[in-house]
Amino acid sequence: MGCPKAFSISGGMGAALLKKPDLIHDILTTLKRNLCIPVTCKIRLLNSTHDTVELARRIEKTMVSAIAVHGRRVADRPRDPANWSEIASVVDALSIPVIANGDVFEYEDFDRIRAVTGASSVMVARGALWNASIFHPAGSPVEDVKREYVRKSILWDHDIKSTKYTLKEMIMHYTSLELPEGKAVTKSENLADIARVYGEEKYYESINTKRLGVAVGSIHALNGKMAI
């Protein structure tokens, strides 16, 4: 229930649910009643700390296993700083685990947000999108991360639109899409194009050769069974 995007709000999804506590209660109790796995949920801050705490308390009564709190209100934009102190108010009011979310952009932020909020754990979004090595104390240069991401995308034949989206997010954060790398990624139509941008043509060819060999072997095996 954290997404503030227009398509979510207009469809009654995401953060639109924050104005419907009865529906929240019905959804969560129904999930709890019919599932044998843990149920969690995520909210954003409401107009006041009191309102946020009261909603969180009502959610806790549905017996969910944990609640994540994004430290921004629906009207806030990503550039607005997350309010970690208000997440702390939710932590103080509940007995279930609270997951803190908002403005975690480097490894050290994990400890910082936990120290301020007292949360049991941390959720990270943009920070991991920009550089997935955020989860390692030493981290990795973003150029190495991009290259490894490209190789993983090739290995798993990842959707080109999703691959381009992630690369463009990384490029926009650190440089600009108007530079040669950004323009080349934007113009790419398939993973072969992406491989050329990052000098991974040989890797792309080796993976596709192996993939083709497996496909041909499967066809031969199928034909053999049909002949029998």
Side-chain angles (χ1 to χ4, degrees):
M1 299 174 285
C3 183
K5 299 292 186 179
F7 73 88
S8 289
I9 299 296
S10 62
M13 305 175 289
L17 288 168
L18 297 176
K19 295 181 179 180
K20 302 176 181 179
D22 290 339
L23 180 56
I24 293 174
H25 180 272
D26 288 347
I27 291 172
L28 294 176
T29 53
T30 299
L31 291 172
K32 284 292 298 180
R33 185 169 60 249
N34 291 281
L35 297 176
C36 58
I37 58 175
V39 174
T40 65
C41 66
K42 179 185 177 184
I43 65 171
R44 293 174 77 92
L45 301 178
L46 300 186
N47 291 332
S48 70
T49 302
H50 175 268
D51 290 344
T52 304
V53 169
E54 287 305 305
L55 176 61
R57 283 175 171 159
R58 183 164 185 179
I59 289 173
E60 182 179 39
K61 291 179 181 178
T62 67
M63 303 301 291
V64 294
S65 299
I67 179 172
V69 182
H70 183 93
R72 291 183 176 84
R73 292 177 169 79
V74 175
D76 291 339
R77 299 276 66 86
R79 63 179 176 273
D80 298 320
N83 192 329
W84 291 357
S85 62
E86 287 201 44
I87 300 176
S89 298
V90 176
V91 173
D92 292 339
L94 304 186
S95 59
I96 60 173
V98 174
I99 305 164
N101 175 229
D103 288 356
V104 178
F105 300 130
E106 54 189 33
Y107 183 82
E108 290 73 18
D109 289 337
F110 288 114
D111 286 336
R112 293 192 191 109
I113 193 170
R114 291 185 69 183
V116 172
T117 64
S120 62
S121 55
V122 180
M123 178 183 291
V124 57
R126 288 180 295 160
L129 181 64
W130 294 334
N131 189 332
S133 70
I134 187 176
F135 300 103
H136 193 284
S140 295
V142 67
E143 295 305 318
D144 292 347
V145 174
K146 281 190 286 189
R147 192 173 299 278
E148 181 63 20
Y149 175 72
V150 168
R151 290 172 70 91
K152 295 296 186 194
S153 296
I154 294 170
L155 178 63
W156 298 111
D157 196 21
H158 191 41
D159 175 68
I160 183 61
K161 290 183 179 180
S162 296
T163 300
K164 287 176 60 175
Y165 174 83
T166 300
L167 288 170
K168 288 165 70 174
E169 284 288 321
M170 297 170 74
I171 293 167
M172 285 190 292
H173 179 66
Y174 291 100
T175 56
S176 169
L177 287 176
E178 295 306 312
L179 295 178
E181 178 192 5
K183 290 182 178 180
V185 169
T186 300
K187 292 179 180 179
S188 295
E189 297 181 354
N190 48 53
L191 289 176
D193 292 341
I194 293 292
R196 281 190 288 273
V197 174
Y198 292 95
E200 293 292 343
E201 299 98 318
K202 290 184 178 179
Y203 182 76
Y204 177 84
E205 291 172 4
S206 68
I207 292 299
N208 275 276
T209 298
K210 292 178 182 177
R211 190 173 288 136
L212 180 60
V214 170
V216 171
S218 298
I219 292 173
H220 287 165
L222 180 59
N223 287 339
K225 290 182 179 180
M226 293 176 66
I228 292 173

